[in-house]
Amino acid sequence: MKGPPEALRKDFPRVSTAPETGRNGPGRRAIVSPVLIRLLRTHLRPYRKPVALLVLLQFLQTCASLYLPTLNADIIDNGVVHGDTGYILRFGALMVGISVVQVVCNVGAVYYGARTASALGRDVRGAVFDRVQSFSARELGHFGAPSLITRTTNDVQQVQTLVLMAFTLMVSAPIMCVGGIVMALGQDVPLSGVLLAVVPVLGVAVSLIVRRMRPLFRTMQTRLDTVNRVLREQITGNRVIRAFVKDGYEEERFRGANAELTDMSMATGRLMALMFPTVMTVVNVSSVAVVWFGAHRIDGGGMEIGALTAFLAYLMQIVMAVMMATFMFMMVPRAEVCAERIEEVLATGSSVVPPADPVTALDRRGHLEVRGAEFRYPGAQEPVLKDVGLVARPGETTAIIGSTGSGKSTLLGLVPRLFDATGGEVLVDGVDVRVLDPALMARTVGLVPQKPYLFSGTVATNLRYGKPGATDEELWHALEVAQAADFVRKLEHGLNAPIAQGGTNVSGGQRQRLAIARTLVQRPEIYLFDDSFSALDYETDALLRAALAEETADSTVVIVAQRVSTIRDADRIVVLDEGRVVGTGRHRELMADNETYREIVLSQLTEAEAA
């Protein structure tokens, strides 16, 4: 995550704090959502001093603005009416001085407001990012990548914008409104009766419109998630779309999602457009009323011309304060929804919890055992894995095979804690993986996932992902073992050849071999290969397995595969069927007495080839 400018980082150090749990229920009608208030209070707490200075500057500049109409009234009544030029010059100079103070305070308030809002946005984004990084596969699947991206970027930006506007506009609005009323009363009490009608009417009109905007903004953020999801699917699955000639269908699908977002944006836009005409109508009517009644007061001798001018200025200041508050209230509903979505991520704990007292050293080297493991997804009627047990020893290759959906990848994911077993134990060197230090786990267990992922960068940066200090010789050795050295040498820049996000600029087989090489560079004690040879041709597969056998001779190797030829020479083959272990042994033993394994083998090989 890109950090803030150096000056901002120095003055406002990043603060990572976890907010309190809880969400604002749909039936709550508070002016500002408690979730938004809690989020701001939590993340603004470290910046109390800048906020206090900002409020002081806003107070001074607002007081200066409120005092200017009174000075103007004095100049008219005591200087202009009586032709006293000296009086006009003296008080005119005072007005200039107060105006300078007002400008300086306003600039300072905006400066500190912008810096504090930026620091808040940085901290909230950092908190969301840190929490997402702690999620297991279960939580990531619950939210979905498009929604998490929207919450980390757009939702945080909405809250940050609200805070910026609050610091630059909202802080001065109540001071100006209350101060304007007090100063107007000082000019003429009977005429101030107009304010008794204006302020409540404005408040009721604004609150009614804002209340209707809240559910619309919530729906709009959800539909923005949908647009992101559809667009992400279409970009990622571009080749599939072209292969099946579904361009028209996907265009229509995106057009539908985009139209739904547009319709909701139009609905909120119509409400927002209604806000300013409503406020301006009340303003204009009240101005006419003030002039009408003020003229009668002047004609009766109960009011001076300067006082009427000052009263009109205070009326405009009061209305401007209400308009600033109106502008803020237009932003509040969307920021509330965004705050609730951010809070939902921050309040979600990972199902894979780091150990409180982690084990930081292991006695043995690479012994893996699964005892009675069970795994059940939340809300599922049946567990994916049921009482699974296996042992994988150093110097041996253990293979796991089974039909699609039998739980092979899920079983392998329990070892590096992509998710935790809901029953039973997974032991590495006799220690439950749930109490192992995560750093020790990363050094001990190396996983090559079923869908290998490469990061944007170069071949070298991807290979060094698990071991940043690896030398070029180590990288080339890993590439040789992974049968990837030849094609890397043919690239224009070799190890420094660019790799696109996800490895989309290399083939599926090349991507798999680079992912295998990345794990080999790390040199863990336990290697987990989750169907990592499926994109390779038979010759490359055979060469890679032969090289791996020599490279990992003293390590524990666990292979999940669909191809029988990949695992037939394994020291131990574990057969899974519907989440249960239905057979364990070598190839010949299982062919003789395990019907499930025999069916899998004969679906790929002839009887003679299997023998």
Side-chain angles (χ1 to χ4, degrees):
M1 183 177 62
K2 187 177 180 181
E6 193 62 34
L8 181 60
R9 187 184 293 110
K10 180 180 178 182
D11 291 348
F12 294 145
R14 177 176 171 182
V15 178
S16 179
T17 51
E20 303 168 32
T21 57
R23 292 190 62 191
N24 187 28
R28 300 291 295 274
R29 294 290 183 179
I31 295 177
V32 180
S33 166
V35 176
L36 176 59
I37 294 175
R38 184 164 55 247
L39 181 71
L40 296 181
R41 185 174 63 242
T42 300
H43 290 278
L44 284 176
R45 188 176 294 120
Y47 310 118
R48 288 189 291 262
K49 291 182 179 179
V51 171
L53 180 59
L54 181 151
V55 172
L56 176 62
L57 292 173
Q58 289 283 30
F59 177 77
L60 293 176
Q61 74 96 8
T62 304
C63 289
S65 299
L66 291 171
Y67 190 44
L68 289 175
T70 298
L71 289 176
N72 189 46
D74 286 342
I75 290 175
I76 293 174
D77 293 336
N78 301 321
V80 175
V81 173
H82 297 93
D84 189 344
T85 305
Y87 190 91
I88 296 174
L89 292 176
R90 287 196 307 274
F91 278 81
L94 180 60
M95 287 184 69
V96 171
I98 293 175
S99 298
V100 171
V101 172
Q102 176 192 4
V103 170
V104 171
C105 291
N106 193 32
V107 170
V110 172
Y111 174 76
Y112 279 102
R115 289 171 62 84
T116 306
S118 299
L120 170 79
R122 180 198 65 196
D123 289 348
V124 175
R125 276 193 302 272
V128 175
F129 179 83
D130 291 343
R131 182 52 59 92
V132 171
Q133 289 299 301
S134 72
F135 283 168
S136 69
R138 180 186 298 183
E139 288 78 41
L140 292 175
H142 169 71
F143 286 103
S147 181
L148 288 174
I149 292 172
T150 304
R151 294 171 196 239
T152 309
T153 54
N154 183 268
D155 288 3
V156 174
Q157 185 64 37
Q158 294 298 328
V159 174
Q160 179 179 331
T161 303
L162 175 71
V163 172
L164 177 61
M165 293 297 102
F167 285 157
T168 55
L169 298 178
M170 194 61 188
V171 171
S172 62
I175 302 173
M176 184 172 291
C177 185
V178 174
I181 293 174
V182 172
M183 298 299 286
L185 286 170
Q187 295 297 323
D188 192 83
V189 174
L191 194 58
S192 300
V194 176
L195 301 177
L196 297 177
V198 173
V199 175
V201 169
L202 282 176
V204 171
V206 169
S207 62
L208 288 176
I209 295 174
V210 168
R211 184 170 296 182
R212 292 192 59 189
M213 289 169 67
R214 284 181 178 174
L216 296 181
F217 276 124
R218 180 173 288 106
T219 304
M220 190 166 76
Q221 291 301 110
T222 303
R223 293 187 178 179
L224 181 60
D225 281 348
T226 303
V227 170
N228 284 341
R229 175 176 54 80
V230 172
L231 184 60
R232 183 184 176 91
E233 288 178 352
Q234 291 172 347
I235 293 174
T236 306
N238 182 263
R239 295 181 182 179
V240 178
I241 295 171
R242 296 288 178 85
F244 286 89
V245 196
K246 301 294 287 185
D247 303 66
Y249 170 77
E250 293 297 333
E251 287 177 5
E252 187 61 32
R253 193 159 74 101
F254 181 80
R255 188 179 296 113
N258 195 23
E260 289 181 350
L261 176 61
T262 302
D263 292 343
M264 191 53 56
S265 299
M266 291 290 289
T268 56
R270 282 191 290 269
L271 275 177
M272 292 172 69
L274 183 63
M275 185 84 76
F276 283 110
T278 302
V279 172
M280 291 309 300
T281 299
V282 176
V283 169
N284 292 332
V285 170
S286 59
S287 297
V288 171
V290 167
V291 174
W292 174 266
F293 291 113
H296 284 286
R297 293 277 296 157
I298 293 173
D299 187 55
M303 189 178 187
E304 299 289 339
I305 296 176
L308 177 60
T309 304
F311 194 94
L312 283 171
Y314 287 127
L315 175 64
M316 291 307 299
Q317 286 183 339
I318 295 169
V319 170
M320 285 299 298
V322 174
M323 289 185 68
M324 287 190 291
T326 299
F327 183 69
M328 285 296 305
F329 284 132
M330 289 167 59
M331 302 178 65
V332 165
R334 188 171 188 179
E336 286 177 343
V337 174
C338 294
E340 290 175 4
R341 287 157 52 86
I342 293 169
E343 171 72 11
E344 187 178 6
V345 175
L346 295 176
T348 300
S350 175
S351 58
V352 177
V353 182
D357 186 18
V359 175
T360 57
L362 296 172
D363 295 332
R364 291 176 286 177
R365 304 292 290 176
H367 186 277
L368 172 64
E369 182 179 1
V370 179
R371 296 178 184 171
E374 176 186 282
F375 182 76
R376 184 191 302 267
Y377 286 102
Q381 294 182 347
E382 293 290 330
V384 179
L385 299 175
K386 311 165 190 175
D387 194 27
V388 174
L390 66 85
V391 176
R393 299 181 179 89
E396 295 182 351
T397 298
T398 302
I400 303 173
I401 195 169
S403 58
T404 302
S406 59
K408 304 183 297 296
S409 296
T410 302
L411 174 58
L412 217 60
L414 297 179
V415 181
R417 297 192 73 194
L418 299 184
F419 25 71
D420 277 341
T422 53
E425 294 177 305
V426 179
L427 307 174
V428 171
D429 289 340
V431 179
D432 195 313
V433 294
R434 285 171 287 198
V435 299
L436 276 180
D437 180 68
L440 177 61
M441 171 72 76
R443 293 194 302 269
T444 306
V445 179
L447 171 65
V448 182
Q450 189 173 14
K451 296 179 180 179
Y453 188 90
L454 301 179
F455 296 91
S456 57
T458 65
V459 172
T461 58
N462 274 278
L463 295 182
R464 291 191 175 103
Y465 196 73
K467 187 178 180 183
T471 63
D472 286 357
E473 289 75 15
E474 290 178 286
L475 302 188
W476 282 115
H477 176 71
L479 290 171
E480 291 285 356
V481 175
Q483 308 302 305
D486 289 343
F487 87 80
V488 172
R489 287 193 182 97
K490 293 177 182 178
L491 298 176
E492 185 176 353
H493 301 290
L495 289 176
N496 294 319
I499 296 293
Q501 182 183 7
T504 54
N505 61 334
V506 294
S507 69
Q510 292 171 339
R511 195 157 53 243
Q512 277 194 339
R513 283 177 280 168
L514 288 174
I516 293 170
R518 178 172 58 193
T519 301
L520 290 171
V521 170
Q522 189 179 352
R523 300 190 66 83
E525 280 76 45
I526 300 174
Y527 290 87
L528 307 177
F529 296 98
D530 186 4
D531 201 13
S532 307
F533 313 101
S534 57
L536 306 180
D537 58 79
Y538 283 97
E539 181 183 0
T540 305
D541 185 4
L543 292 172
L544 176 56
R545 283 188 287 111
L548 275 176
E550 183 178 347
E551 181 72 13
T552 61
D554 298 326
S555 303
T556 302
V557 179
V558 181
I559 299 176
V560 166
Q562 297 284 357
R563 259 188 218 166
V564 174
S565 60
T566 302
I567 55 95
R568 64 184 297 170
D569 296 325
D571 299 291
R572 185 181 298 100
I573 300 174
V574 178
V575 185
L576 282 183
D577 185 33
E578 295 184 353
R580 295 184 182 275
V581 176
V582 296
T584 302
R586 297 181 70 90
H587 172 73
R588 289 184 181 276
E589 299 169 358
L590 293 171
M591 281 295 293
D593 58 19
N594 190 283
E595 190 61 33
T596 302
Y597 182 75
R598 184 178 176 83
E599 287 179 3
I600 295 173
V601 173
L602 294 181
S603 68
Q604 301 179 31
L605 307 174
T606 64
E607 188 79 40
E609 290 171 332

